[in-house]
Amino acid sequence: MVKKKNLFLGAILLALLVIVGLLWTYNNQKSPLITSEHFELLDDKDDILLYKDLSEINIMTDAVEHYNNKIVEMETELADINDDELRKAYYEDLAFYHSSLGHYEVAYEYYVKSLDLSFVNRKTWLSFGELLVNMQAYKTAEVAFTKANEINPYEELNYIKIVDLYKKTDRRQEDIIAVYNQGIDLIEAPTVLLKNKAEYYEDLELYREAINAYKEWARVSEHKEYIENKIKKLEDKL
């Protein structure tokens, strides 16, 4: 009787182990996002958007056909490419095509493969960050944009991407202004950042701060008449 009971308990334990194993396999197959020594996913996999239906994407039918054809063509050619620089270019083009079609998980994996070949490419990190924003992986997107900025902090687009992400994720006003100021302090003629900072203050109805920011922009801008008119309109609101 004891032997039968032990066999019964053993069978139950074995069944539980099988179920756990199947669940682990299912979860990993469901979201098999690859990792990299240069990159770590910070967001919860269950919160990430891995795919977007074409009906939700603003893309022309001709572009869909073209991108699908390019994917088939380039993925076939990729098998015969040994040069790392060329493979990286293929990875990034394929990431772009897949991302444009809503295949976010596939695009993600191509970007990670590209970064494994060269993780000091600013444009790759920016493009990867844009994909991560589309995937709603906002924590990881911030890392990608920050890495791009670390590689070359003298490009306005880095700061613009970080600010856009902060606005999307409702970061504090102080954090957003700090990003603007960081770029403005480093870049010789940050015309776009100065303009965006002034407009940000204006949108917040902080008119005195906006006036000061517009004056700062006027010092490096060719659009002085436009800026002077903006300042006069804001002064009327004080």
Side-chain angles (χ1 to χ4, degrees):
M1 184 74 179
V2 174
K3 186 176 181 180
K4 286 184 177 179
K5 184 177 180 181
N6 288 339
L7 287 171
F8 178 70
L9 291 174
I12 292 175
L13 179 60
L14 179 61
L16 288 172
L17 288 172
V18 170
I19 291 170
V20 169
L22 288 172
L23 287 172
W24 183 90
T25 302
Y26 170 75
N27 286 330
N28 280 271
Q29 287 178 344
K30 178 177 147 187
S31 182
L33 296 176
I34 62 177
T35 57
S36 164
E37 61 179 302
H38 308 299
F39 169 78
E40 180 182 359
L41 186 70
L42 300 180
D43 300 84
D44 190 329
K45 289 182 180 180
D46 293 333
D47 297 332
I48 292 174
L49 187 64
L50 300 178
Y51 175 82
K52 194 169 189 178
D53 193 87
L54 277 175
S55 62
E56 303 177 70
I57 300 174
N58 184 21
I59 185 171
M60 297 179 65
T61 304
D62 290 347
V64 172
E65 183 180 357
H66 174 67
Y67 290 171
N68 277 320
N69 289 339
K70 291 297 292 183
I71 287 170
V72 172
E73 174 189 324
M74 295 186 74
E75 287 183 341
T76 302
E77 294 173 352
L78 192 57
D80 299 320
I81 296 175
N82 296 316
D83 179 76
D84 282 352
E85 188 173 342
L86 187 55
R87 286 187 73 83
K88 179 176 173 58
Y90 267 63
Y91 287 152
E92 294 188 16
D93 284 348
L94 284 165
F96 168 76
Y97 293 134
H98 278 291
S99 176
S100 299
L101 296 173
H103 309 159
Y104 295 152
E105 182 176 5
V106 182
Y108 168 97
E109 295 188 352
Y110 275 124
Y111 275 126
V112 173
K113 289 179 180 179
S114 174
L115 289 167
D116 277 342
L117 291 176
S118 175
F119 63 95
V120 290
N121 187 299
R122 183 185 70 89
K123 291 183 179 179
T124 305
W125 280 112
L126 282 183
S127 297
F128 190 29
E130 291 171 357
L131 170 68
L132 290 163
V133 170
N134 289 336
M135 295 175 71
Q136 299 174 11
Y138 300 126
K139 293 177 184 177
T140 316
E142 183 174 357
V143 171
F145 292 142
T146 302
K147 284 184 179 291
N149 201 44
E150 289 171 355
I151 292 166
N152 183 356
Y154 301 102
E155 295 287 343
E156 286 189 281
L157 186 58
N158 303 343
Y159 302 96
I160 291 168
K161 292 296 182 183
I162 295 171
V163 166
D164 287 346
L165 175 63
Y166 280 10
K167 289 179 179 179
K168 192 176 189 70
T169 53
D170 297 323
R171 289 286 288 268
R172 297 182 311 159
Q173 171 192 324
E174 293 83 356
D175 295 334
I176 292 172
I177 294 299
V179 175
Y180 279 132
N181 288 340
Q182 182 187 0
I184 289 166
D185 290 343
L186 280 174
I187 299 170
E188 186 175 350
T191 54
V192 178
L193 289 175
L194 288 168
K195 172 179 177 292
N196 290 359
K197 178 184 174 183
E199 291 175 345
Y200 177 64
Y201 275 133
E202 185 178 358
D203 290 340
L204 293 174
E205 298 183 357
L206 298 172
Y207 298 130
R208 292 189 187 280
E209 291 85 348
I211 289 169
N212 290 333
Y214 275 118
K215 287 179 179 178
E216 194 177 359
W217 176 32
R219 287 196 288 270
V220 297
S221 175
E222 298 176 353
H223 308 289
K224 299 189 185 302
E225 184 178 349
Y226 168 80
I227 296 171
E228 287 172 4
N229 289 332
K230 289 287 292 186
I231 291 172
K232 287 176 182 177
K233 288 179 181 179
L234 292 174
E235 286 174 340
D236 291 339
K237 295 181 178 183
L238 294 177

